Amino acid sequence: MPIFTREGTDTPVQPGPELTVVVPTLNERANIPLLVERMAEAIIGINWEIVFVDDDSKDGTIQAVRSLANADHRVRGLRRIVRRGLAGACLEGMLSSSAPIVAVMDADLQHDEKCLPEMFRLLGAGDTDLVVATRYDAGGSASDGFGDFRARGSKLAVRLAKSLLKIELSDPMSGFFMLRREIVDEIAPRLSQQGFKILLDMVASSQRPLRIREIPYRFGQRLHGESKLDATVVLEYLGLLVAKASGDLVSTRFLAFGMVGSAGVIVHLATLRLLLVNGLTFTPAQTAAMFTAMAFNYTVNNSLTYRDRRRRGWRFFTGLGMFAALCSFGVVAGVGVSSVFYQSEPRWWLAGLAGAAVGAAWNYVTNSAVTWRSR
Ligand code: GDD
Ligand code: MN
């Protein structure tokens, strides 16, 4: 690595890295030292750095990163508080880089770091924008790292992405890839910060077609800790597919909000019926059912739709108040619109739907901006 001295000073200056490897982490403390050690062995002759983007892990991951960073300038750590989510973490890590080439890789050693030099070389040739390490091409494999159920789920997710988004990648779910940083800068404003699937989102959101190469690798076993992929991640993935297939008309969040709202209707009706059967008269039963549904919607939205902005402690309760207040305006707006609609087009179900749509849109937009504003 060339070391030169800036004119007029005698402080040695080192040029910045050519490659930034971004590693998102959530409770991966035990894997950190081993990963850095393996990287140092695997990447020879490239000026690299590794950036861990940690979502405030409780196991002291960031401390492990910092102590390595004190001894090795190639190691950096970015601690995020409040914010959560794999895609957002990867994006922030890539945006923190000034290197011409950036990569994303998991911390749990399931990705083969020995692929990195080859990926770097392919990008250096100049005719490639993005290199994806794939488990599903000749020579690759996922069987070591996946149980049977995960393996089938993952294949289904690939098929959906291919048919809905016309994406020609053998492994669009891969969390292991490398690309030219300027492409990230270009696409960043259009990316969803939620969910697991940053690669798929980048390819689907790019306005010009990306020149993509794939290289096969064996998806290994997780060394320490456990997987964070859960049912919510799967829901978010389906949301991303719909969002991208509709040309971003429907956002993932709005979809989640709408689904929670539909579930809320069921909660409402079930509560109403329960109370009526137990002898309550209609008006008090309906009032109690409305409040129950509202509390249900708020609680589920808080931990699902807006889980990256989740309100905790006393903020949970002030949020419930805001949610209730905003949704009451939503009712007023919805009733107003459906009444006007009904006058010109007297079909009850159409007018009813129009009112519901306006109410839902109002609730979504205002609650996103107020109750769950990004801080
Ligand atoms: N900062 C941050 N925030 N990191 C996270 C978060 C988060 O909310 N959730 C997960 N991570 C980190 C983990 O610590 C790990 O380093 C990496 O992201 C992957 O998470 P895993 O929990 O190990 O995912 P997986 O092994 O089940 O999923 C793998 O396969 C998927 C495709 O099926 C990964 O390679 C995914 O990237 C891939 O999409
Ligand atoms: Mn993993």
Side-chain angles (χ1 to χ4, degrees), residues 102-336:
V102 293
V104 170
M105 183 175 159
D106 290 355
D108 55 8
L109 309 161
Q110 289 191 286
H111 294 155
D112 185 356
E113 70 288 339
K114 289 193 276 303
C115 296
L116 289 166
E118 170 69 359
M119 294 161 89
F120 187 80
R121 200 188 55 73
L122 286 171
L123 284 168
D127 56 357
T128 305
D129 298 314
L130 166 68
V131 182
V132 181
T134 170
R135 295 165 286 191
Y136 301 122
D137 210 6
S141 104
S143 47
D144 295 351
F146 272 164
D148 196 36
F149 182 71
R150 267 294 295 269
R152 261 182 291 153
S154 180
K155 290 235 166 73
L156 179 67
V158 172
R159 274 214 303 280
L160 277 174
K162 281 186 176 166
S163 54
L164 272 169
L165 302 182
K166 311 271 171 296
I167 280 180
E168 279 315 315
L169 276 176
S170 66
D171 192 357
M173 313 310 130
S174 178
F176 188 17
F177 54 87
M178 193 184 282
L179 74 167
R180 295 196 289 118
R181 200 202 74 244
E182 60 182 55
I183 295 175
V184 181
D185 281 322
E186 210 175 283
I187 311 177
R190 286 194 293 281
L191 295 179
S192 148
Q193 300 253 3
Q194 280 187 300
F196 245 51
K197 306 307 171 195
I198 179 131
L199 173 68
L200 181 65
D201 195 5
M202 286 199 300
V203 174
S205 305
S206 171
Q207 280 173 331
R208 59 183 157 110
L210 299 176
R211 297 166 301 172
I212 304 174
R213 296 273 300 258
E214 297 188 304
I215 67 163
Y217 80 105
R218 285 177 74 91
F219 187 57
Q221 263 171 18
R222 169 176 264 280
L223 201 70
H224 296 287
E226 54 191 38
S227 169
K228 282 94 200 170
L229 195 139
D230 56 13
T232 331
V233 168
V234 176
L235 276 181
E236 280 173 348
Y237 173 69
L238 295 176
L240 178 67
L241 287 183
V242 174
K244 290 301 158 188
S246 72
D248 280 324
L249 197 67
V250 198
S251 80
T252 319
R253 229 196 265 281
F254 182 61
L255 217 70
F257 195 86
M259 283 190 319
V260 174
S262 316
V265 174
I266 297 171
V267 170
H268 182 147
L269 293 179
T271 316
L272 181 59
R273 167 143 178 99
L274 194 78
L275 294 176
L276 289 176
V277 167
N278 282 287
L280 241 68
T281 52
F282 185 78
T283 308
Q286 164 72 353
T287 312
M290 277 181 74
F291 278 110
T292 309
M294 190 120 66
F296 167 85
N297 275 19
Y298 173 74
T299 309
V300 179
N301 275 320
N302 191 49
S303 50
L304 201 93
T305 317
Y306 298 95
R307 70 166 161 170
D308 54 327
R309 306 177 188 173
R310 189 178 299 173
R311 301 180 70 105
R312 297 166 200 274
W314 63 270
R315 291 187 75 248
F316 177 87
F317 295 100
T318 53
L320 179 58
M322 293 178 193
F323 184 78
L326 290 168
C327 292
S328 327
F329 281 111
V331 170
V332 176
V335 170

Side-chain angles (χ1 to χ4, degrees), residues 341-353:
F341 196 100
Y342 190 75
Q343 278 161 15
S344 60
E345 184 63 50
R347 261 182 285 187
W348 65 269
W349 57 272
L350 210 59
L353 272 180

